[in-house]
Amino acid sequence: MFTIFIIISLAAVVKAIRYEFVFDNPEIFDKCPQIPGNNGIYDFMDISEIRYELEEDRINVFGNLTVVWEGVEPSDRIQMRGEILKYQRGAWQVTPMTITANDFCKVQFDPNKYWYQIWSKNIPLDERECVNVKGHTYHLEPFTVDTVFDYPTNIEGRHKAVYEFIAYDQTNQRRSKMMCVQVIGELIKLK
């Protein structure tokens, strides 16, 4: 009897639920209100040459990005933190979904990292410079980001992904301007 219970429990866990992420902002990115004077992606990258095509279950991305991060040097170490928050009971709540990189430049193009599959694998090999090289342009190969996916537990509701980038100079002193970009939307369970 105990074995049957375990098998049924495992089957319930393995069965994934299909979700669609619907963006609040058709331009994808939002400012981080917790950081005074923050302009979101516009403090970090010039995205004027990027084009997004929103389709029913994906976003098609075309164009170029240029690093515009003021006060950063190519020798700086970049610390990155990304986290998913869920809106519950009138406030944004931390979830267990967090990614970090103490030295983002060392792992920006690591094929085993989450961001590589979504973004950095689409940067041509001869343009693979870190995000700390102001003025550097990434000529992205056209790519698609799926907005429909399967997840094994219930994550329905309002969410935001917040990505923070902090630069440290060669003496490990923090640079004054932190980059923060967020994406807000709704995860809707599909039938």
Side-chain angles (χ1 to χ4, degrees):
M1 183 66 151
F2 183 71
T3 305
I4 292 171
F5 176 74
I6 291 174
I7 291 170
I8 291 170
S9 297
L10 286 174
V13 170
V14 171
K15 185 178 179 185
I17 302 166
R18 182 151 279 224
Y19 293 94
E20 179 175 13
F21 187 79
V22 178
F23 295 89
D24 277 8
N25 185 345
E27 294 179 17
I28 312 299
F29 302 104
D30 289 290
K31 299 176 183 178
C32 297
Q34 72 276 18
I35 300 173
N38 173 270
N39 288 313
I41 193 76
Y42 304 104
D43 286 343
F44 193 30
M45 300 275 179
D46 175 353
I47 62 169
S48 62
E49 295 181 3
I50 284 287
R51 192 173 82 241
Y52 303 104
E53 290 178 358
L54 295 168
E55 291 187 17
E56 186 172 317
D57 59 353
R58 67 182 150 277
I59 301 170
N60 299 312
V61 182
F62 310 87
N64 309 323
L65 298 167
T66 300
V67 178
V68 295
W69 189 352
E70 291 289 336
V72 70
E73 296 293 329
S75 58
D76 288 351
R77 176 178 60 86
I78 306 301
Q79 185 177 57
M80 186 279 296
R81 177 180 173 83
E83 65 182 344
I84 306 291
L85 294 103
K86 184 172 185 178
Y87 195 76
Q88 292 179 309
R89 298 186 176 116
W92 290 107
Q93 307 292 325
V94 176
T95 71
M97 294 180 260
T98 301
I99 55 173
T100 60
N102 195 42
D103 191 342
F104 186 71
C105 295
K106 286 186 178 177
V107 294
Q108 182 177 347
F109 299 102
D110 182 339
N112 299 313
K113 299 299 182 188
Y114 167 77
W115 50 81
Y116 182 81
Q117 296 307 317
I118 292 177
W119 173 62
S120 57
K121 77 175 182 181
N122 303 296
I123 296 171
L125 292 174
D126 62 338
E127 295 181 9
R128 293 193 173 186
E129 295 285 338
C130 186
V131 295
N132 63 357
V133 180
K134 185 177 181 213
H136 182 70
T137 299
Y138 301 115
H139 298 87
L140 300 174
E141 297 168 2
F143 67 98
T144 299
V145 177
D146 291 329
T147 57
V148 173
F149 60 93
D150 295 328
Y151 199 77
T153 61
N154 186 357
I155 56 171
E156 191 170 24
R158 191 159 169 70
H159 289 77
K160 72 175 175 177
V162 180
Y163 299 96
E164 297 174 342
F165 295 84
I166 302 169
Y168 293 87
D169 68 17
Q170 291 182 320
T171 64
N172 213 30
Q173 295 299 307
R174 183 177 166 164
R175 299 278 186 194
S176 61
K177 187 134 186 171
M178 176 175 111
M179 295 297 104
C180 184
V181 176
Q182 67 182 19
V183 176
I184 303 172
E186 185 86 17
L187 278 169
I188 299 168
K189 185 165 47 170
L190 301 176
K191 305 274 182 205

